[in-house]
Structure formats: structure tokens, C-alpha cells
Amino acid sequence: MRPATRAALRHVLTHLLTPLLMCVGMGLAYLGAFADPSPHELPVAVVGSGRSATELARTLEDRAGDKLAVHTVADRAEAVRELRDQDVFGAYVPGRRAPELLIASAGSDTTASAVQKVFTPVAARQGAPLKVTDVVPPSEGDPTGQGIFFLLVALSIGSYASVAVIGGAGGALPLRIRAALAAVTSLVVSVIGVVLAGPVFDLVDHGMWGLWGLAWLYSAGVLFIGTGLHTFLKRWTTLGVMVLFVMLNFTSAGGVFRPELQNRFFAGLHGFWNGAGFVEGTRGLVYFGHSGLGGHVATLLGWLVVGLAVLGAAWAVEHRRGVRAAAGTEAEEAGAEEEMEEAVGV
């Protein structure tokens, strides 16, 4: 094999490493997060203050083990309030003739289905059909409630794909210009997201300004972090942002399965990852009366601050490289002048 062919083959094989690592990472992340969903300390309630309600709650918890966290509430109104505050994801109202299960499917359709699987046999043992009442249904344009998650996917792709363009095609530009491009791009991506969610697909029928703010915070955090990381990772930047904003992000966002149906690793990420901040923040804004919205906004702001810090570190590194390069150029020029002087002297 010719040396040129060997070099070209080595170059191709080296670059193939990136997609192969993506394949491994995506398989581990998606299968690890979604392959075996099962309840884990899923909070539910039994409505009633009497002895029978207390015994039912205790029996359910004993049979479920660590899958359920069951408590009693005094009345139906309190159960509805806890559902709207997302303190519980299902509330069972016992009754000999018409037992009722209260759910809030806008919070998670898959979690609502899991709750129904828990309480349907309970009603069957009482010899009565279970009536299911959805106290917080999703919008008509998003019947499964998962449109917000797919909006997250669109925002993420627009953001991290732009990182590759800004870092690659714009690599020769000063970092301050690249950072400005990232800021403007995040604004454009967030506007596209709001237009898709509102006028185009009607996923969200109110709170559009709030949705735009959440989308911009999310996109800006991704773009700032990715643009800063390009200084350090170079051609590995694409893999880096894929790990951060796809493999770990989509799987922990709660858009397909909430953390109560996932293993501890992804459930833990849900508490502070930016995708979860956007999904849960949007749900709180649109469906749950701003419940928990402040905490999710704080999560997105935290990632934005991290992005600014990464940009600051990148600026420091590029500035130091520029100083060294300038010093090397000056040394070369000084050496050339000295050689010229010696030659003239001779």
C-alpha cells in the first residue's frame, strides 16, 4: 500500500471514531433511560380520612414496595390541589359503586398510564368499573402531552448544530464575534421554536412570551457552552455537545418518562439538567399555574451562567495563545534583523 493511501486511510479511520462513539453513547443513553420504565417512589394519594382509606393506602404501599409513595388526603378538593401542584400524579377516590381515579396527564401521559395500571385492579376487587378523571389535560393540539419534548428536540438541534458552524466556519473570527453570533442565533432559534409551538402546530395555546423566554434561555445556554468548548475540544466538539445535549439531555428531560419511572441515574440528572428545566418549566407555565416555574428558570439561568464562564475561559486561553504567537513572530523578526545586520557588517 502506498504511503499516501495509508495516510488517507488512517485519516478516515480516525474520523470514523466520532460516529462510532456516538453510536455507543446513544445506545447506552437511550436504552438505559427508556428500555425498562417502572415506577420508583411514584407519589399517589388515597382520598379519605377514615380507617378504610388509611388501610387501603398502607396495603398499596406494602404490596408495591419502593415503587409507590402512598399517602392519604382529606377530600377530593385537596387531591386536585396536590395534582395541580404536581405533589402527586394520581389520587384514588374509593367508592363501592363508582370509584374514581384523578390524574393530570399534561404532566406526563406515561405516568398517568402507570397510575391507571396501579388502581384499575383495586377498583376491580371492589367489583366496580374505575372512572378516570383528568383534572389537567393537555391542549387539543398536543393530545399526548409530548409535544413539548419534541419542541425541546427541535431547539436542541438548531442550537448544537449552529455550534458546529460557528466553531468551524467562524473559527478564524475573534471569540467576541463568535459569542455575538451565538447570542443572535439563540434568539432566532427561540423564535422559530415559539412559532412552531404556537401558530404552526398549536401545541401551546397561551403563555407564548413565557415560552419564548424559556426557549431563549435554553438555546443560549447550549450555544454559549458549545461555542466556548470548541476552543478546547476542536473537532471533538460535536461529540461533546451530543453527550451533553442529546445523550444525557433528552433522556433525563422527562418528556417521554418522568424521573419516577426511570432509574436513579437519569432521575438524578432530571433535577438539574437544562432539558428538564425547559420541559418542566414549560409544563408549569402552560398547565400547572406556574407551579415550580421559578426553580426551572433558575436551572436554565444556571446553565446560561456556565456558558458564560466557559466563554470566559475560552477567551483567556485564546488570548494567551495570541500573545504567545505574537511573541514568537516578534522573536523571528528580531532574529532576521540581527542576521541582516551581521550580513551587512561582513
Side-chain angles (χ1 to χ4, degrees), residues 276-294:
F278 175 78
V279 170
E280 298 296 354
T282 303
R283 284 173 174 165
L285 172 71
V286 177
Y287 296 121
F288 293 97
H290 297 189
S291 174
L293 179 59

Side-chain angles (χ1 to χ4, degrees), residues 170-341:
L173 296 172
L175 183 60
R176 67 179 184 276
I177 296 179
R178 303 202 309 271
L181 286 172
V184 173
T185 302
S186 68
L187 176 63
V188 175
V189 168
S190 64
V191 170
I192 292 173
V194 170
V195 171
L196 291 174
V200 177
F201 291 107
D202 199 27
L203 301 176
V204 176
D205 53 14
H206 65 280
M208 302 303 293
W209 283 107
L211 174 62
W212 170 77
L214 292 171
W216 178 80
L217 283 175
Y218 174 78
S219 180
V222 173
L223 273 152
F224 287 169
I225 290 173
T227 301
L229 284 178
H230 191 271
T231 299
F232 305 97
L233 300 181
K234 299 300 182 185
R235 72 181 183 88
W236 297 102
T237 303
T238 299
L239 179 61
V241 296
M242 284 281 287
V243 171
L244 289 174
F245 304 122
V246 177
M247 298 176 191
L248 299 180
N249 191 27
F250 295 169
T251 50
S252 64
V256 178
F257 298 112
R258 282 190 55 83
E260 294 83 8
L261 298 182
Q262 294 186 293
N263 60 48
R264 295 186 183 276
F265 175 74
F266 293 101
L269 292 182
H270 183 85
F272 63 92
W273 219 256
N274 59 342
F278 175 78
V279 170
E280 298 296 354
T282 303
R283 284 173 174 165
L285 172 71
V286 177
Y287 296 121
F288 293 97
H290 297 189
S291 174
L293 179 59
H296 302 309
V297 170
T299 296
L300 294 175
L301 284 171
W303 280 79
L304 182 64
V305 170
V306 170
L308 293 172
V310 175
L311 282 175
W315 178 86
V317 169
E318 291 189 10
H319 179 71
R320 185 165 60 248
R321 290 174 182 171
V323 170
R324 289 177 179 175
T329 301
E330 291 177 0
E332 291 177 1
E333 291 177 351
E337 290 179 359
E338 185 175 338
E339 290 179 2
M340 180 64 71
E341 290 175 356

Side-chain angles (χ1 to χ4, degrees), residues 52-65 68 70 125:
S52 60
T54 303
E55 290 180 351
L56 176 58
R58 186 182 301 114
T59 300
L60 282 171
E61 195 160 41
D62 290 343
R63 289 179 177 177
L68 299 178
V70 189
R125 284 194 292 270

